[in-house]
Amino acid sequence: MALDMLLARLARLGDRVRTDDAALAAASRDESHLSASLPGAVIFPASTAEVALVAREAHELGVGLVPRGGGTGKSGACLARRDQVVVDFSRMNRILELRTADLYAVVEPGVITAELDRAARERGFMYPPDPASWESCTIGGNIATNAGGPRAVKYGVTHAYVWGLEVVLPGGRVIEVGRRSIKGVGGYDLTSLFVGSEGTLGFITRATVHLVPAAFEVQTAWLSFAAPLLASRAAERVFAAGIRPRMLELVDRVSMDLVRPVSSFRLPEAGAALLVETDGDAALPELLRLAEAAQADDSAVAESETDREAMRRARRLVSPRMKEAFPHKLSDDIAVPRSRMADTLAWAAERAAAAGLRFAAYGHLGDGNLHVNLLCSADELERGAAVRAAVLAHTIEEGGMVSGEHGIGLVKRRELAQQLGPEVVALERAVKSVFDPRGVMNPGKVLD
Amino acid sequence: MALDMLLARLARLGDRVRTDDAALAAASRDESHLSASLPGAVIFPASTAEVALVAREAHELGVGLVPRGGGTGKSGACLARRDQVVVDFSRMNRILELRTADLYAVVEPGVITAELDRAARERGFMYPPDPASWESCTIGGNIATNAGGPRAVKYGVTHAYVWGLEVVLPGGRVIEVGRRSIKGVGGYDLTSLFVGSEGTLGFITRATVHLVPAAFEVQTAWLSFAAPLLASRAAERVFAAGIRPRMLELVDRVSMDLVRPVSSFRLPEAGAALLVETDGDAALPELLRLAEAAQADDSAVAESETDREAMRRARRLVSPRMKEAFPHKLSDDIAVPRSRMADTLAWAAERAAAAGLRFAAYGHLGDGNLHVNLLCSADELERGAAVRAAVLAHTIEEGGMVSGEHGIGLVKRRELAQQLGPEVVALERAVKSVFDPRGVMNPGKVLD
């Protein structure tokens, strides 16, 4: 009813409002394990003014709005119900300014992440955040989830690259927060409040993001080990020596076996591997020497950009290949203090084994942020859920976070509440009410 | 009246509550141009529980509380009135944990910034934020103001180093926000909301701060130029070549003349100078070559840590020496996009000259953040105020911020409101109300 009224009021948007099956189906999924959920409509705004119109009318009618970027999220944050409307940002995909002398770009939210990095690289700069899905995810989605990626080990996550935002608030007000200068203080950091808010506070319609100089040599290598624990010890030695690689990724045997058939880089047979990449001062030869001293069996060093990209692509293929092979897998991106990573990983693997479940792990070893996977079949899901709950509780006990980079969405609301505690949850709800008093922005996500 | 009741209720704190003239006078000033303001009392809590007690009782009685770190702020944020109470954190000054393998330290708010950096350096790490006052300012104050410093040009400001906080809220509730793992998402970033909040939301009683590896060679040099504009052009060439120095500070002739008599480094006679420092991959020789090509007249390269420290100290002495020589000076730490810095500086110097005022500038050229000073005598203050207002308005027009790092406190409230606009100010007030509904935390600061 309210939805029909909303669609009537948005008639002037013409074919930018879609209710046909194809459009609804395309917006019904992300990359989480959740089943498809059809929204009531999908809107494809082409400007801030159109977003503001939608925000104003939906606020008045109390219709829930769900922002959507590339649909590559793993938490269900962009899924909507039948009485809600998806707002898809794929038409707002322009790079508006590339001011490299001032170290920033201004972009619309629908810009594909890898495209921004390529545009920056043509001028000798880079946009560091590089989620595995960066050929299809968007800057708007990255900001909404505070996305990470392999390069975070040296460069940090999306949060470090968001200087300022234009935001459309529920009710349709358009505000600008943050800065275009490298430094700047004054008032509360509302920009950071939107980063990682998973679409629950307002629509990001424009972002000023930081670019960094990239006039350096990059070196990439694939190091094989007999077991993940040995790879982890090698990583500890590298960090203890003060080397700061720009990528230090763990891939286990299961992951490599899944990727090998589709990888142009010929993955060696091994119990585990580290994909390492250095730039600038972080010397690859010294890193390799340390890794060999720590029982690396074998190392392949990339000799061209094609080689380097083949190695990185092998790493990026792990998640989609695993999902294809194990559609019912339960996956978590836990984060713990770095020195607790190896033990936490061993603990999780043992629990999985004790429950008779296949287990795989890969990810950002250097950041203490790993993707742990219970490779369940459909009948094993109940056992899987119990192990998963135990792993997340153990993560909290270790001083960690139930999500290192994927976010909460629909899939970890209970665990987040447990991690934060009731006092902080109450504060967060109160902050939400300041921006969205009627609760129309991404209802039911994150805090429920 | 309310104040007397509060002091009666805090009797159990014994000599940690002071109302004697010496204590009140010591808490009556910061490093702004504001005149002394005596508080009603000064409390020196020794634990989170004592802070919570103060917060609870003051909230109930409606007495304003003003947190104080090292008292080195330049905006009056730590000044209190007769009916308010200063809470001084100098007794909560312990480094509680130094977990370098996990890249963090846990500290109490009263830890002196340089002491944390020294403790980290003993283990091959560093705490990058280095405000000029770092031998007397505190981590708590740095977090409350989101302090910068020379090394920010490579390492970023305090915000980038705050992972988590323990905070006492008005009413006495103690919450923990943020993380101890390198990565982590979930819920709103309340940690960032406290960073730069200038004591208006709650008391920071413990902080988890990020340490970075520092196993590299550091090189430092002092480059002379005929004029600030030439120094600024040299800096542009350095950045265009992709070099990332860890310090790139401008000092003008007036600043050097003031510091020369008290500096152990013999400052060359010149129209301007750049203090540059490199570490890791950023090569000093290449930087010097570029600077010479861009008309550097002369360069002194430090040959020992003693030399390096003498150069840095010369830079740090500029502010206190200038304040001593021109006690009525009007000083602003404006920030603009880096490419607008040279023009903005020239514009400000011309305005000062047209008004017959002496002018000096120094600071973080690489960050587009300079300290511009109108060296007024007492009778010139009226003219000075007009020029200052014009410079700040021009800064906003250039897409900049009225404060790059010092903050707002009492001295820039009007200008901040102008910069943010009424919509954002209203949102910030609403956020403030969530944490401090009765308005007892640092009343009247920042947003008024």
Side-chain angles (χ1 to χ4, degrees):
Chain A
M1 186 61 194
L3 176 66
D4 293 338
M5 286 173 69
L6 175 66
L7 298 183
R9 291 194 191 181
L10 298 178
R12 81 175 88 156
L13 295 182
D15 67 359
R16 292 198 282 289
V17 179
R18 302 266 304 267
T19 53
D20 55 291
D21 290 350
L24 301 186
S28 70
R29 287 188 172 281
D30 66 356
E31 292 180 9
S32 69
H33 63 271
L34 300 170
S35 29
S37 173
L38 291 170
V42 187
I43 302 175
F44 297 85
S47 67
T48 298
E50 291 186 359
V51 177
L53 171 69
V54 174
R56 190 174 68 235
E57 300 297 344
H59 178 78
E60 208 175 295
L61 295 166
V63 176
L65 298 174
V66 180
R68 184 178 177 90
T72 59
K74 304 207 179 210
S75 73
C78 66
L79 302 189
R81 297 186 322 231
R82 266 295 188 186
D83 59 340
Q84 298 170 342
V85 170
V86 165
V87 180
D88 180 305
F89 281 92
S90 52
R91 291 203 195 185
M92 291 177 67
N93 63 350
R94 291 174 301 165
I95 295 175
L96 301 170
E97 297 180 50
L98 261 183
R99 286 179 59 164
T100 53
D102 289 325
L103 305 181
Y104 72 79
V106 180
V107 300
E108 290 186 324
V111 168
I112 299 292
T113 309
E115 282 176 13
L116 174 59
D117 187 54
R118 276 192 287 271
R121 264 190 286 165
E122 278 172 23
R123 300 178 185 213
F125 283 74
M126 71 191 286
Y127 177 69
D130 61 339
S133 57
W134 77 335
E135 290 292 356
S136 48
C137 67
T138 65
I139 299 290
N142 291 175
I143 294 172
T145 56
N146 191 14
R151 297 198 297 219
V153 69
K154 180 165 183 173
Y155 290 98
V157 298
T158 299
H159 184 205
Y161 297 90
V162 184
W163 281 4
L165 297 171
E166 179 188 83
V167 174
V168 173
L169 296 178
R173 281 174 301 162
V174 182
I175 59 165
E176 280 187 61
V177 295
R179 60 198 156 86
R180 290 191 172 200
S181 49
I182 299 172
K183 287 168 71 175
V185 296
Y188 305 126
D189 183 358
L190 301 185
T191 309
S192 292
L193 215 45
F194 287 101
V195 176
S197 65
E198 301 191 36
T200 63
L201 298 180
F203 292 103
I204 294 163
T205 48
R206 193 169 286 198
T208 302
V209 296
H210 179 35
L211 306 176
V212 302
F216 40 53
E217 200 192 345
V218 173
Q219 293 184 296
T220 310
W222 190 278
L223 316 181
S224 300
F225 295 86
L229 187 61
L230 295 176
S232 168
R233 289 206 186 123
E236 281 165 23
R237 290 210 195 180
V238 168
F239 290 118
I243 295 177
R244 299 189 73 181
R246 77 166 190 174
M247 211 176 272
L248 192 141
E249 296 283 301
L250 176 74
V251 188
D252 73 357
R253 182 190 291 279
V254 178
S255 306
M256 285 190 279
D257 290 348
L258 287 166
V259 169
R260 194 172 290 107
V262 294
S263 171
S264 58
F265 166 60
R266 289 182 51 176
L267 283 86
E269 291 279 350
L274 289 181
L275 169 64
V276 295
E277 191 160 293
T278 58
D279 66 21
D281 58 332
L284 189 68
E286 170 70 0
L287 190 159
L288 295 182
R289 201 187 57 69
L290 286 165
E292 273 156 35
Q295 294 184 270
D297 290 334
D298 189 20
S299 58
V301 178
E303 295 191 343
S304 65
E305 181 56 25
T306 311
D307 283 4
R308 278 193 285 280
E309 190 47 31
M311 288 184 184
R312 295 176 198 136
R313 185 171 162 271
R315 161 65 186 86
R316 288 200 292 266
L317 283 170
V318 175
S319 172
R321 286 291 293 163
M322 203 172 278
K323 181 86 183 151
E324 218 176 301
F326 301 95
H328 300 287
K329 80 182 171 86
L330 297 175
S331 161
D332 285 291
D333 65 315
I334 57 170
V336 292
R338 197 158 71 184
S339 68
R340 303 304 308 144
M341 194 75 259
D343 281 359
T344 303
L345 188 55
W347 192 95
E350 270 165 38
R351 282 294 165 115
L357 297 173
R358 291 192 68 184
F359 179 83
Y362 63 92
H364 319 303
L365 187 62
D367 279 331
N369 172 210
L370 284 191
H371 303 298
V372 296
N373 291 268
L374 300 165
L375 307 176
C376 304
S377 64
D379 341 332
E380 293 169 335
L381 276 174
E382 204 170 315
R383 259 183 297 154
V387 175
R388 178 174 178 268
V391 170
L392 293 176
H394 184 76
T395 299
I396 296 173
E397 276 163 33
E398 290 284 352
M401 310 272 283
V402 296
S403 177
E405 58 181 12
H406 290 165
I408 306 305
L410 290 170
V411 305
K412 284 188 188 167
R413 292 176 295 181
R414 205 177 46 204
E415 292 82 357
L416 179 69
Q418 201 179 328
Q419 177 191 296
L420 297 179
E423 291 268 23
V424 172
V425 167
L427 274 176
E428 300 215 335
R429 278 189 213 286
V431 168
K432 157 92 171 170
S433 297
V434 166
F435 293 85
D436 183 22
R438 301 194 60 181
V440 294
M441 283 307 301
N442 218 358
K445 308 295 164 53
V446 188
L447 295 173
D448 197 359
Chain B
M1 186 62 193
L3 176 66
D4 292 338
M5 286 172 69
L6 176 65
L7 298 183
R9 291 195 193 181
L10 298 177
R12 81 174 88 156
L13 295 182
D15 67 0
R16 293 199 279 291
V17 179
R18 302 265 303 266
T19 52
D20 54 292
D21 290 350
L24 301 186
S28 69
R29 288 188 170 279
D30 66 356
E31 293 182 8
S32 69
H33 64 272
L34 299 171
S35 28
S37 174
L38 291 171
V42 186
I43 302 176
F44 297 83
S47 68
T48 298
E50 291 186 359
V51 177
L53 171 69
V54 173
R56 189 173 69 235
E57 300 297 346
H59 178 78
E60 209 176 294
L61 296 166
V63 176
L65 297 174
V66 180
R68 183 178 178 91
T72 59
K74 303 206 180 214
S75 73
C78 66
L79 302 189
R81 297 186 321 232
R82 266 294 188 188
D83 58 341
Q84 298 170 341
V85 170
V86 165
V87 181
D88 180 305
F89 281 91
S90 52
R91 292 204 194 183
M92 291 177 68
N93 64 350
R94 292 173 301 164
I95 296 175
L96 301 170
E97 297 180 50
L98 260 184
R99 286 180 58 163
T100 53
D102 289 324
L103 305 179
Y104 73 76
V106 180
V107 300
E108 290 185 324
V111 168
I112 299 293
T113 309
E115 281 175 15
L116 174 60
D117 187 55
R118 275 191 287 271
R121 264 190 286 166
E122 277 171 22
R123 299 177 185 214
F125 283 74
M126 72 192 283
Y127 177 70
D130 60 339
S133 56
W134 77 335
E135 290 290 358
S136 48
C137 66
T138 65
I139 299 291
N142 291 175
I143 295 172
T145 56
N146 191 13
R151 299 198 294 219
V153 69
K154 180 165 185 173
Y155 290 97
V157 298
T158 299
H159 185 204
Y161 296 89
V162 185
W163 282 5
L165 297 172
E166 179 189 83
V167 174
V168 173
L169 296 177
R173 283 174 300 163
V174 182
I175 59 167
E176 278 188 61
V177 295
R179 60 198 158 84
R180 288 189 174 202
S181 49
I182 300 173
K183 286 168 73 175
V185 296
Y188 305 125
D189 183 357
L190 301 186
T191 309
S192 292
L193 215 45
F194 287 102
V195 177
S197 65
E198 301 190 35
T200 63
L201 297 180
F203 291 102
I204 294 164
T205 48
R206 196 170 284 203
T208 302
V209 296
H210 180 34
L211 305 176
V212 301
F216 40 53
E217 200 191 344
V218 173
Q219 294 184 296
T220 311
W222 189 278
L223 316 180
S224 300
F225 296 85
L229 187 61
L230 296 176
S232 168
R233 289 205 185 124
E236 281 164 24
R237 290 209 195 183
V238 168
F239 290 117
I243 295 177
R244 299 190 73 182
R246 77 167 192 174
M247 211 178 270
L248 192 141
E249 296 284 302
L250 175 74
V251 188
D252 73 357
R253 182 189 291 278
V254 178
S255 306
M256 287 190 280
D257 290 346
L258 287 167
V259 169
R260 194 171 291 108
V262 292
S263 171
S264 58
F265 167 60
R266 287 183 51 176
L267 283 87
E269 290 280 351
L274 289 182
L275 169 64
V276 295
E277 190 159 292
T278 58
D279 66 20
D281 58 333
L284 190 68
E286 170 69 359
L287 191 159
L288 295 183
R289 201 187 58 68
L290 286 164
E292 272 157 34
Q295 296 184 271
D297 290 334
D298 189 19
S299 58
V301 178
E303 297 192 344
S304 65
E305 182 56 26
T306 310
D307 282 5
R308 279 193 286 281
E309 191 46 33
M311 287 183 184
R312 295 176 198 135
R313 183 170 163 272
R315 160 65 186 85
R316 288 201 292 267
L317 283 170
V318 174
S319 173
R321 284 291 293 163
M322 204 173 277
K323 181 86 183 150
E324 217 176 301
F326 300 96
H328 300 286
K329 80 182 172 86
L330 297 174
S331 162
D332 286 291
D333 65 316
I334 57 171
V336 293
R338 198 159 68 184
S339 68
R340 303 304 307 143
M341 194 75 258
D343 282 0
T344 303
L345 188 55
W347 192 95
E350 269 165 39
R351 282 294 166 116
L357 297 173
R358 291 191 71 183
F359 178 82
Y362 63 92
H364 319 302
L365 187 62
D367 278 332
N369 173 209
L370 285 190
H371 302 299
V372 295
N373 292 268
L374 300 165
L375 307 177
C376 304
S377 64
D379 339 332
E380 292 169 334
L381 276 174
E382 203 169 318
R383 259 182 298 154
V387 174
R388 178 175 178 266
V391 170
L392 293 177
H394 184 76
T395 299
I396 296 173
E397 276 163 35
E398 289 285 351
M401 311 273 282
V402 295
S403 176
E405 58 180 11
H406 290 166
I408 306 304
L410 290 169
V411 305
K412 284 187 187 169
R413 293 176 295 179
R414 203 176 49 204
E415 292 82 356
L416 179 69
Q418 200 179 331
Q419 177 191 298
L420 297 179
E423 290 269 21
V424 172
V425 167
L427 274 176
E428 301 215 335
R429 279 188 211 286
V431 168
K432 156 91 172 171
S433 298
V434 165
F435 293 86
D436 183 23
R438 301 192 61 180
V440 295
M441 283 306 301
N442 218 356
K445 308 295 164 54
V446 187
L447 295 173
D448 198 357

